Amino acid sequence: MDHERIAVLAHEKFPDRAKTALGVLRYGDQDVRAVLDRDRAGDRVSDHVAEVSDAPIVDSFGDAHAAADGELDALYIGIAPIGGGFDESWRADVEAAIEAGCDVVSGLHYFLNEDEELAALADEHGVDLVDVRKPDDDLTVASGASGDVDADVVLTVGTDCSVGKMTASLEIVAAARERGIDAAFVPTGQTGIMIAGWGNPIDRVVSDFAAGAVEEMLVEAGDDHDLLVVEGQGSIVHPAYSAVTCGILHGSMADGLVLCHAAGREAVHGYESFDLPPLADYVDLYEDLAAPVHETSVVAGALNTKDVADDAAAADAVTDFGDEVGVPAADPVRDGAARIVDGIVDAGLGGE
Amino acid sequence: MDHERIAVLAHEKFPDRAKTALGVLRYGDQDVRAVLDRDRAGDRVSDHVAEVSDAPIVDSFGDAHAAADGELDALYIGIAPIGGGFDESWRADVEAAIEAGCDVVSGLHYFLNEDEELAALADEHGVDLVDVRKPDDDLTVASGASGDVDADVVLTVGTDCSVGKMTASLEIVAAARERGIDAAFVPTGQTGIMIAGWGNPIDRVVSDFAAGAVEEMLVEAGDDHDLLVVEGQGSIVHPAYSAVTCGILHGSMADGLVLCHAAGREAVHGYESFDLPPLADYVDLYEDLAAPVHETSVVAGALNTKDVADDAAAADAVTDFGDEVGVPAADPVRDGAARIVDGIVDAGLGGE
């Protein structure tokens, strides 16, 4: 995937329920020339989201293409309904994009390539339908080669799902680059893949190949950068998703870990009968579990304070979190990730 | 799968390189009426393997069917070449089985159902091709329901791959039944599935659903038995396969763990640059990692002593292993699993 000028479909959900659209706007290298949301057509992105490149919000792909002077090369599906299905109300826009010669990129469970109408139309117009949740067929088991890559590897690990591991990873890369470190983001989930334009969706890889799919990315990127920041998934004690987490932990053979947590979270999101263990237990679990494959330690912390009322309370929460974990910490969204990069650099990682 | 009278294909590999054939002979409920091995045709199973039901070894499916008075209802593929491919020299036997109205059961990576010739022939004759490595399409994420099943759950966990977790699990079930406990085996790999006639191949399930695929089996079987023995896979510190192990650990929400080890093993099988950590570290890792989802402890140990020269040395190795782990231990193959069941019962598990 190498798209320069894109439109992002976010009908009826922009911005608050359009996580992928927001991620692409905030962190993608692509130039977002229009957002499709029929409920907000006529507004501008800057009316709703600060600190991202502005673009018009339009009603349809046709309007987007016109607003972009016909220069679009892809349409990204920037929303995911519960269940990951394809909403038939999007079909006209997707078809219009294909007919205009644009690729269509989707992180839905529903694979565009398996939709006979869309597949035939894409074939006719010579464009790609990119289903980022569909793993490559040539993935296989890990060999242990992640330990041999030249770059230092940092992995974001979580106390739970949905605590901001992807955002922390992207902010760490940005802050490291500001410090002159040649850093790159290694995506492991569909939104990260859409932002970065490459990657393996580890949660969709068969469990035998989970570590191998991480290794394959690190081997691919490892000689081109000094620091690779691997996007973690789930939590090592999640009742449903820990297999994904464990495969990434051992497959990455990370040199340092950044512990990510959401302020105030006390139980597993969506599994409220399972309490989160104390933060110190997470540190021990991640380090002790990683060690037989590759020695590592938690070198920094990222606290998501979006549910904390004000900046002063958020700052206190970050201080408490850093003290409890015993590492430099920040909320990468409120504060930026400079202090997290301090922890990474202090651990001797990211140097040439 | 519910086959009563079967033939097992093991051409050129019976018995030493026919792990699945041996497993079905030793532990399957099916009546094995013939083994196909063209190199040993004319011998009998009892010429090569002790303590299993005897059967003729024959050259072809035709001979097997004749030896079984035409009463076979399935042919099981009892060998797996490196890579899991289909050996074309087996095709005539598989076709003959289908033409005789027999199902064909395979644990190969190569799916019989995707072989157009075999699929068409099976369709024509109204028989099933059962690819046990192909997961059900309706698997999904775990909900945490394993904690609610009536049965007590024991999981075999390993220090490595290929240490005898499947065998230990099957021997534990046999020994528990001898003690009057209503125990059942919960298979998680292709050989176990072929022996038991049901199950989910966790290593082939997408990593997001690994725990859920274990949970689905426990919920299915949990109200029918007092003790479920879940077949573990890999090791929690395996460089390639730990995702599978972790999904089974949390998906099973086991009440007790049986630590399985191979005497003399010091490095990861096939990954010799990775040393195995001390046994006590495994106990801590498995217990500490399980605890936030479901409190559990290692209640017994199984030591595989097949590479130990004599019974006396094996007995010493078992004693040392049990002392080091601090639990009752046995080699389930040399000794049977009665002492392992002691540990399970002493922990209060398996009662009504």
Side-chain angles (χ1 to χ4, degrees), chain A residues 174-196:
Chain A
R177 287 178 180 168
E178 275 180 28
R179 200 170 305 198
I181 298 171
D182 180 357
F185 171 66
V186 179
T188 60
Q190 72 271 15
T191 300
I193 294 170
M194 290 174 76
I195 291 168

Side-chain angles (χ1 to χ4, degrees), chain A residues 142 202 205 207-208 236 242 250 271, chain B residues 142 202 205 207 236 242 250 271:
Chain A
I202 306 301
V205 171
S207 55
D208 236 11
I236 199 62
S242 64
H250 287 141
Y271 294 76
Chain B
I202 306 301
V205 171
S207 56
I236 199 62
S242 65
H250 287 140
Y271 294 76

Side-chain angles (χ1 to χ4, degrees), chain B residues 111-175:
Chain B
F111 292 146
L112 301 183
N113 281 293
E114 294 179 2
D115 182 301
E116 289 184 16
E117 284 177 37
L118 297 180
L121 197 64
D123 198 44
E124 183 187 332
H125 290 274
V127 303
D128 290 329
L129 303 178
V130 182
D131 290 303
V132 301
R133 264 182 193 257
K134 195 174 176 70
D136 285 346
D137 288 335
D138 58 355
L139 295 173
T140 185
V141 298
S143 68
S146 290
D148 300 329
V149 301
D150 284 344
D152 292 329
V153 176
V154 165
L155 169 66
T156 50
V157 293
T159 58
D160 196 5
C161 288
S162 303
V163 296
K165 290 179 287 289
M166 183 191 78
T167 299
S169 302
L170 289 159
E171 293 287 355
I172 291 166
V173 169

Side-chain angles (χ1 to χ4, degrees), chain A residues 22 48 61 84 143 176 241 244 256 276 284 297 352:
Chain A
L22 274 184
H48 302 282
F61 181 82
S143 68
Y241 305 130
V244 186
L276 300 191
D284 290 343
S297 59
E352 308 253 330

